Amino acid sequence: MTSGYASVSIDAVEVPGDGEPLGHRSFTDELGCSTTTVDGYRVPAGGTVPLSGAPEQLCLPIDADGPISLEGVDVPPSGVARLPAGVEGTLSCSGPTAVVVIGAPVESTAADDPIAVDLEACDYAPPSTSSIETARLTARLGCAGVKVNARLLDPGDHVPYHTEGEQEELFVPVRGPATMRIDDDSFETPVGTITRVAPPVPRSAVNDGDREACWVMIGAPPTGGPSEWDPGAEILE
């Protein structure tokens, strides 16, 4: 990555063949991540993803076909799950599932339990900076190494075109049509795309389709309060 941003797709992870436990690909270097790690998995029916106990980890199912669990905690197919730092865990998938796992190094919080939220059941409200319906998930998930928001974009909606102060941002559309506008360049980002943007690069998530879209947006390090923008962030238009 040389221009301050990069996109990858979960489609780049090979589908496991018969008898193979899972397909895996690390996207961290491809995305140019400096604070987070990003891994993509393709899990066959009845398969599992072993998660190490080092970083705090967020699990985002993509196109899940059947129930999922993280150490006994049910993870909705339209959900986000968190495994605390210092806790080893296993993500179990009853049907074929693609999963994005995002890690962030933080002090161990092994006393915490895994937790999951359903993006379809969250309370959404517009923040002070835009009219985009937003669910603040950082505190709800107990995140210490990242800030997490889910945002609903109606057709024609866009997140304010902005820069960040210190945070790198990861944008993951999980439902509906999606486009990224970055540094005045626009490109489609279908469900399962992960886009990383460095702090000083202008960016916006856009819905230029004809139905509602849902995005998960992750910032690291978690500067500012759970419901605040990164200090130094600037809305450009």
Side-chain angles (χ1 to χ4, degrees):
M1 189 201 69
T2 60
S3 56
Y5 67 92
S7 284
V8 297
S9 172
I10 196 70
D11 291 341
V13 181
E14 292 188 7
V15 177
D18 291 342
E20 295 181 350
L22 76 167
H24 169 244
R25 181 165 176 165
S26 172
F27 291 123
T28 304
D29 291 340
E30 290 180 65
L31 290 169
C33 295
S34 60
T35 306
T36 55
T37 59
V38 180
D39 290 88
Y41 296 90
R42 285 196 174 274
V43 192
T48 61
V49 179
L51 301 173
S52 69
E56 174 178 76
Q57 295 174 89
L58 291 179
C59 303
L60 280 69
I62 306 291
D63 295 330
D65 184 8
I68 309 164
S69 67
L70 177 61
E71 290 300 296
V73 175
D74 291 337
V75 182
S78 58
V80 180
R82 170 185 175 262
L83 185 69
V87 177
E88 293 187 358
T90 299
L91 189 72
S92 303
C93 304
S94 62
T97 305
V99 183
V100 175
V101 177
I102 296 165
V106 294
E107 292 186 11
S108 173
T109 53
D112 294 344
D113 294 321
I115 188 171
V117 299
D118 187 350
L119 298 178
E120 300 293 340
C122 289
D123 293 327
Y124 291 83
S128 61
T129 52
S130 75
S131 61
I132 304 299
E133 297 286 329
T134 301
R136 305 289 193 182
L137 301 181
T138 307
R140 185 169 175 178
L141 286 168
C143 293
V146 294
K147 289 169 69 172
V148 188
N149 295 312
R151 312 194 83 174
L152 300 178
L153 278 67
D154 287 328
D157 279 351
H158 66 277
V159 172
Y161 193 53
H162 69 282
T163 59
E164 294 289 339
E166 298 180 24
Q167 287 184 350
E168 67 178 10
E169 274 193 303
L170 296 170
F171 295 80
V172 186
V174 294
R175 173 167 53 81
T179 296
M180 287 294 303
R181 177 190 173 198
I182 302 180
D183 206 12
D184 285 328
D185 182 24
S186 294
F187 51 92
E188 292 184 2
T189 51
V191 168
T193 301
I194 307 103
T195 302
R196 182 262 183 187
V197 189
V201 178
R203 84 294 306 272
S204 174
V206 180
N207 181 353
D208 53 8
D210 58 3
R211 64 189 188 280
E212 183 183 73
C214 181
W215 291 72
V216 175
M217 302 178 185
I218 298 160
T223 54
S227 61
E228 299 173 342
W229 277 48
D230 175 26
E234 181 180 0
I235 295 177
L236 304 177
E237 58 182 61

